[in-house]
Amino acid sequence: MDSFMYLGVLVVLFLLWIKVKGLDYVIVHQRWIFVCLFLLPLSVVFDVYYYLRAWIIFKMCSAPKLHDQRVKDIQRQVSDWRKEGAKTHMCTGRPGWLTVSLRVAKYKKTNKNIMINMMDILDVDIKRQVVRVEPLANMGQVTALLNSIGWTLPVVPELDDLTVGGLVMGTGIESSSHIYGLFQHICVAFELVLADGSLVRCTEEENSDLFHAVPWSCGTLGFLVAAEIKIVPAKQWVKLCYEPVRGLENICHSFAEASQNKGNTFVEGLQYSLDSAVIMTGTMTDHAEPDKINRIGLYFKPWFFKHVEGYLKDDRSGVEYIPLRHYYHRHTRSIFWEMQDIIPFGNHPVFRWLLGWMVPPKISLLKLTQGETIRRLYEQHHVVQDMLVPMRHLQTALTRFHQDIQVYPLWLCPFMLLPSRGMVHPKAQQKEELYVDIGAYGEPRIKNFEAKASTRQLEKFVRDVHGFQMLYADVYMDREEFWEMFDGTLYHKLREQLGCNDAFPEVYNKICKSARH
């Protein structure tokens, strides 16, 4: 009885503290309380529900039949929109807070919302080495199923919650991209419902223009209802080599050399300061040295970026064997390194052992509960950007990132940019080129940081070297600058041909802050 009284007193004191300080103050300055008490348990419920649902549906083989019904329902909604006079643009009805993007999707309040509840894995065709999936199937769901039957995607973007639709209509990348390219480059077919309600399949041979134009279009050419993606045989382990490197020139040279070596299945760099980094290279294998196994994905293990930093601090190289799926989602538990700002003590052994099994909170729930105050603070004092630049400009790019934002760690991920007629392709359009994704996530350390001005400086640099900015993040370019960065030739041609101008917002209007505010 006494214990219940003590608990009751603590709850009353806690509520009084919130009343005195104000809910906004607590959510902004002590957000970990809200996250630990509410968001972590809710996130577990979300994960269990979606995993069990996907598993049951796939095992019962009912997904294909349900898929056809869902496609017809989307066509019906588009037909109804046309009958009503097509007065506004259309967009997916998925709530903005459910997306991984940090952007607030205000257009959903004024556009016609088309409900697309399609989150299933439809078929795994071993003979063709292709998996067919619906747009809301996510990476955690897809890799769990494929790995269990001995297969995997050639490119598995890091976070569990990233959906196939988001990766197709936006983009996706992983440490195997120096071999396979971006996520769009492992896709062999798209199925879309167009502005007139028709269902179209596009491949490199069939409706080829549309196939090239869909990636990076952000849902402004049609509604994706299925995608066919290449799969490759999986092995049990990733043999991962850690190599600390010091000196900016040495970092760039070592990273470029590792990225050009196709013998490396995986290549990744974590840069902890302008002149210190750890370069990691990996290969898949079915055999592991028992004393070097590290199941880094277990809930009580240190966050991966902290584990990697240990090699830098000790100034030592190392080799480990990591289970394949653990490797694919090595940054998931810490959301790269964003969790250290949300739960500052989240990497402490006590927290990891007691509550680590519930980490991370769902990004969608973090967005839903952040409120306008946190959103403004994040926008002004926090950077989340991925800039894609040619490998030959890496040293200059890292220097610019240091001068303009000084966010560390930086994520370095190489990728082969393949020829394309779409929005993103190498400067020499018919020739592939090695690029690198520089990911900056965290609080800038430079004095007098100003989000818009600093981001615009980076955007200009990226345009000047024929690079690209990932469109999930805040984009401050004006229209002319945007279409200087991206090739809109085929995109605008198809918008006109397919009647998209009255049906969907242009990609610039949908994602750029200059257009949305």
Side-chain angles (χ1 to χ4, degrees):
M1 193 70 174
D2 287 345
S3 59
F4 284 109
M5 287 183 62
Y6 287 132
L7 182 62
V9 170
L10 287 173
V11 169
V12 170
L13 290 173
F14 177 65
L15 293 174
L16 285 173
W17 178 67
I18 292 177
K19 183 175 178 62
V20 171
K21 289 290 188 179
L23 186 59
D24 273 356
Y25 175 89
V26 174
I27 290 178
V28 172
H29 297 281
Q30 307 292 337
R31 199 179 185 199
W32 63 268
I33 297 174
F34 183 71
V35 170
C36 292
L37 291 180
F38 299 104
L39 295 194
L40 290 181
L42 274 176
S43 298
V44 172
V45 173
F46 260 58
D47 282 337
V48 170
Y49 168 74
Y50 281 114
Y51 179 81
L52 289 177
R53 178 188 178 281
W55 185 85
I56 291 169
I57 287 177
F58 190 79
K59 288 297 182 183
M60 292 176 64
C61 298
S62 58
K65 183 178 178 180
L66 292 174
H67 174 76
D68 292 340
Q69 294 174 3
R70 291 171 186 151
V71 171
K72 289 176 181 176
D73 182 62
I74 293 167
Q75 291 177 297
R76 178 193 58 77
Q77 292 179 70
V78 173
S79 177
D80 290 345
W81 167 79
R82 295 178 69 84
K83 289 176 183 176
E84 293 166 3
K87 296 174 183 177
T88 64
H89 287 141
M90 292 183 289
C91 68
T92 63
R94 190 185 188 208
W97 60 270
L98 274 175
T99 65
V100 173
S101 168
L102 298 179
R103 203 167 40 244
V104 178
K106 294 182 179 179
Y107 60 86
K108 288 185 180 285
K109 296 179 181 179
T110 55
N111 289 2
K112 170 70 173 178
N113 282 211
I114 304 298
M115 301 308 298
I116 302 178
N117 297 312
M118 310 180 82
M119 56 187 71
D120 297 319
I121 300 170
L122 301 173
D123 182 46
V124 180
D125 189 332
I126 302 300
K127 187 175 180 180
R128 293 176 56 222
Q129 296 194 10
V130 164
V131 60
R132 183 168 175 251
V133 298
E134 291 183 326
L136 295 183
N138 65 41
M139 287 298 98
Q141 178 184 346
V142 173
T143 57
L145 176 70
L146 289 179
N147 292 173
S148 70
I149 57 175
W151 292 84
T152 188
L153 299 178
V155 176
V156 182
E158 172 62 36
L159 300 177
D160 281 12
D161 290 341
L162 291 171
T163 63
V164 168
L167 295 167
V168 168
M169 292 295 185
T171 194
I173 191 171
E174 188 37 275
S175 55
S176 56
S177 288
H178 65 295
I179 297 174
Y180 297 103
L182 297 171
F183 190 83
Q184 68 203 59
H185 299 129
I186 65 168
C187 296
V188 296
F190 304 130
E191 297 170 37
L192 297 101
V193 172
L194 302 182
D196 62 359
S198 62
L199 177 64
V200 171
R201 172 183 163 87
C202 56
T203 68
E204 189 67 64
E205 294 78 29
E206 178 186 7
N207 297 308
S208 177
D209 280 353
L210 184 58
F211 181 72
H212 279 263
V214 163
W216 296 79
S217 66
C218 299
T220 59
L221 292 173
F223 295 110
L224 183 72
V225 294
E228 291 182 15
I229 310 167
K230 296 176 187 175
I231 58 175
V232 294
K235 295 186 178 180
Q236 187 176 359
W237 305 95
V238 172
K239 180 182 179 182
L240 194 63
C241 302
Y242 303 84
E243 188 64 45
V245 185
R246 299 190 183 275
L248 182 58
E249 189 173 340
N250 291 334
I251 292 170
C252 296
H253 175 76
S254 298
F255 186 72
E257 190 174 57
S259 304
Q260 290 160 1
N261 182 359
K262 297 300 173 67
N264 295 323
T265 310
F266 306 104
V267 178
E268 173 184 30
L270 295 187
Q271 187 169 1
Y272 292 90
S273 69
L274 183 61
D275 58 0
S276 63
V278 178
I279 308 299
M280 289 160 280
T281 56
T283 54
M284 279 198 278
T285 178
D286 281 325
H287 306 284
E289 300 175 47
D291 60 332
K292 294 182 179 179
I293 289 175
N294 184 2
R295 302 181 188 276
I296 193 67
L298 295 177
Y299 71 88
F300 53 83
K301 288 284 189 173
W303 289 343
F304 184 70
F305 79 97
K306 287 292 188 184
H307 172 67
V308 174
E309 191 176 17
Y311 287 95
L312 185 65
K313 289 180 176 178
D314 297 341
D315 200 24
R316 62 183 174 90
S317 303
V319 175
E320 290 183 330
Y321 293 84
I322 300 174
L324 179 62
R325 192 158 186 267
H326 287 213
Y327 176 79
Y328 280 148
H329 302 289
R330 62 201 178 281
H331 293 298
T332 293
R333 287 189 302 123
S334 56
I335 316 179
F336 282 87
W337 27 94
E338 293 278 40
M339 277 298 292
Q340 65 184 353
D341 293 329
I342 299 170
I343 305 177
F345 48 83
N347 194 47
H348 192 281
V350 174
F351 179 88
R352 294 200 312 266
W353 277 97
L354 292 179
L355 296 176
W357 59 277
M358 291 195 288
V359 168
K362 304 290 280 186
I363 294 175
S364 53
L365 293 179
L366 288 170
K367 283 178 63 179
L368 180 65
T369 58
Q370 69 180 358
E372 189 63 24
T373 303
I374 292 180
R375 190 191 67 77
R376 285 198 310 269
L377 284 172
Y378 258 66
E379 187 174 302
Q380 292 303 320
H381 305 289
H382 202 84
V383 169
V384 179
Q385 291 286 347
D386 281 88
M387 298 292 189
L388 317 180
V389 299
M391 183 67 78
R392 65 183 186 274
H393 294 294
L394 177 58
Q395 186 168 339
T396 309
L398 293 176
T399 303
R400 286 302 302 265
F401 268 71
H402 183 79
Q403 292 171 350
D404 291 344
I405 58 174
Q406 208 171 127
V407 169
Y408 292 103
L410 289 175
W411 189 53
L412 306 180
C413 184
F415 69 98
M416 189 61 70
L417 186 57
L418 303 179
S420 170
R421 302 194 302 276
M423 288 174 58
V424 171
H425 54 73
K427 190 171 185 179
Q429 195 166 355
Q430 300 305 315
K431 186 179 179 182
E432 64 183 30
E433 184 175 354
L434 189 62
Y435 271 62
V436 58
D437 173 8
I438 303 176
Y441 326 117
E443 190 172 335
R445 301 177 190 174
I446 62 167
K447 294 181 179 178
N448 304 317
F449 171 78
E450 207 284 311
K452 182 176 180 179
S454 298
T455 305
R456 280 186 57 77
Q457 285 177 236
L458 280 179
E459 289 171 343
K460 182 180 186 310
F461 167 78
V462 172
R463 287 197 307 275
D464 289 344
V465 298
H466 196 74
F468 307 94
Q469 180 178 14
M470 283 199 185
L471 300 182
Y472 76 87
D474 284 333
V475 179
Y476 291 91
M477 291 181 283
D478 62 32
R479 188 180 301 276
E480 183 180 349
E481 292 166 340
F482 182 84
W483 290 117
E484 179 187 338
M485 178 179 286
F486 297 98
D487 185 350
T489 307
L490 181 61
Y491 172 79
H492 290 302
K493 172 188 168 185
L494 285 177
R495 292 258 306 166
E496 187 69 34
Q497 286 182 0
L498 300 176
C500 297
N501 291 327
D502 294 327
F504 306 105
E506 184 191 299
V507 61
Y508 174 80
N509 293 333
K510 191 172 182 179
I511 62 97
C512 286
K513 296 183 75 68
S514 297
R516 292 183 288 119
H517 295 284

